[in-house]
Amino acid sequence: MPVFANDWQDLLAPEFEKPYYQELRRFLVREYRTATVYPDMYDIFNAFHYTPFHNVKVVIVGQDPYHGPGQAHGMAFSVRPGIPIPPSLQNIFTELERDLGIAPPEHGNLVPWALEGVFLLNAVLTVRRGEPGSHRGKGWERFTDRVIEILGEREDPIVFFLWGQDAQAKRSLIRNPRHLVLQASHPSPLSAHRGFFGSRPFSRANAFLRAVGKKEVDWRLPRTLAELEAYLAEREAPLRARGLLPSRPARRA
């Protein structure tokens, strides 16, 4: 059974057959059976489901999923509706307001960005509850490095946001000079004042997209939970009904 119902399937199918991924899958089966692991196993690949390869305009590279209850749902920096906004995301919203004048929403759900073509990729796609970094070195980095490499080879220009040293270590995987790579410190409270604030990534990304003849990203998010629910009913539900998103949360890894 295919993992994806979009163009990521053909691009990544060879990875699923490689020994490292088979070992990673066995590790995940054990972990989900014996520990509390985030995100839910059906949400691991949501970034891919919501943003097909051909739709990618901007790539935001994160680290691990959030490791607290109810937070992670398969998209870097994003949390489920109704979950308090984590500090790094609060800082992203602060920079968004300073850059484009967009007031922060009352929630931290970035599905609208994903549907706009913002690929929210963590370097590691799973984590044990309360144990940040617990699934590093198990194979996810090899998989997501290949994803970044594929995106970095694409002829159609993309903007890459590499925030923090871990993300910036991926720079060598982005080989096509047509892409725009924007580097800054990580938006966490420990480092946001060392170069993230004032970096203006959102306006710079849109200026680049305009220059290469592409539609800008609409960085606005629904302000309230009620507006978010209405947005998802309008935009997400039809895609799910057409089979472009899973009819239930994303399948097992």
Side-chain angles (χ1 to χ4, degrees), residues 48-249:
F48 300 83
H49 292 304
Y50 281 82
T51 313
F53 175 77
H54 72 277
N55 281 354
V56 175
K57 297 177 181 178
V58 175
V59 179
I60 300 180
V61 179
Q63 298 175 9
D64 296 345
Y66 296 119
H67 54 85
Q71 294 180 304
H73 66 118
M75 296 182 185
F77 294 104
S78 180
V79 293
R80 293 182 180 279
I83 298 296
I85 301 173
S88 291
L89 185 54
Q90 289 178 355
N91 286 338
I92 290 171
F93 287 160
T94 295
E95 180 62 19
L96 178 64
E97 184 171 25
R98 293 175 178 176
D99 188 7
L100 294 178
I102 297 173
E106 298 174 1
H107 61 86
N109 187 265
L110 304 182
V111 163
W113 285 3
L115 294 176
E116 276 285 308
V118 180
F119 187 53
L120 300 164
L121 179 68
N122 276 319
V124 176
L125 301 187
T126 54
V127 68
R128 277 194 177 196
R129 175 177 178 170
E131 298 182 35
S134 51
H135 283 187
R136 293 186 182 183
K138 304 298 184 181
W140 278 131
E141 294 92 339
R142 180 170 173 182
F143 178 80
T144 56
D145 278 359
R146 179 57 184 150
V147 172
I148 295 170
E149 191 174 45
I150 290 170
L151 288 162
E153 293 169 348
R154 200 179 81 171
E155 282 301 305
D156 196 22
I158 300 171
V159 183
F160 291 83
F161 291 176
L162 303 183
W163 294 335
Q165 292 182 356
D166 287 352
Q168 290 163 18
K170 312 294 183 182
R171 178 63 181 86
S172 63
L173 301 172
I174 305 166
R175 299 190 178 96
N176 189 336
R178 300 187 67 192
H179 302 315
L180 174 66
V181 180
L182 299 177
Q183 300 186 110
S185 63
H186 194 275
S188 76
L190 296 176
S191 58
H193 291 279
R194 297 203 295 266
F196 176 76
F197 289 138
S199 61
R200 303 187 63 201
F202 309 101
S203 61
R204 293 169 69 190
N206 277 354
F208 174 80
L209 293 171
R210 286 195 305 272
V212 297
K214 298 175 74 71
K215 184 179 178 182
E216 299 178 6
V217 172
D218 183 354
W219 294 102
R220 294 172 299 175
L221 293 164
R223 290 293 307 280
T224 67
L225 283 174
E227 291 172 354
L228 175 65
E229 289 174 1
Y231 172 93
L232 295 177
E234 178 183 356
R235 293 286 306 276
E236 182 186 57
L239 294 173
R240 199 177 300 282
R242 291 163 56 196
L244 300 177
L245 296 175
S247 57
R248 58 175 297 175

Side-chain angles (χ1 to χ4, degrees), residues 2-56:
V3 176
F4 308 118
N6 58 35
D7 49 5
W8 283 116
Q9 181 61 33
D10 288 342
L11 291 166
L12 294 174
E15 296 303 302
F16 296 130
E17 303 303 319
K18 292 180 179 179
Y20 86 89
Y21 189 86
Q22 294 297 314
E23 181 56 34
L24 169 62
R25 189 178 186 281
R26 288 189 289 269
F27 166 77
L28 292 174
V29 168
R30 293 192 301 270
E31 284 287 281
Y32 276 97
R33 285 176 179 170
T34 61
T36 300
V37 177
Y38 299 130
D40 184 284
M41 67 178 70
Y42 296 106
D43 288 338
I44 292 172
F45 291 114
N46 271 348
F48 300 83
H49 292 304
Y50 281 82
T51 313
F53 175 77
H54 72 277
N55 281 354
V56 175

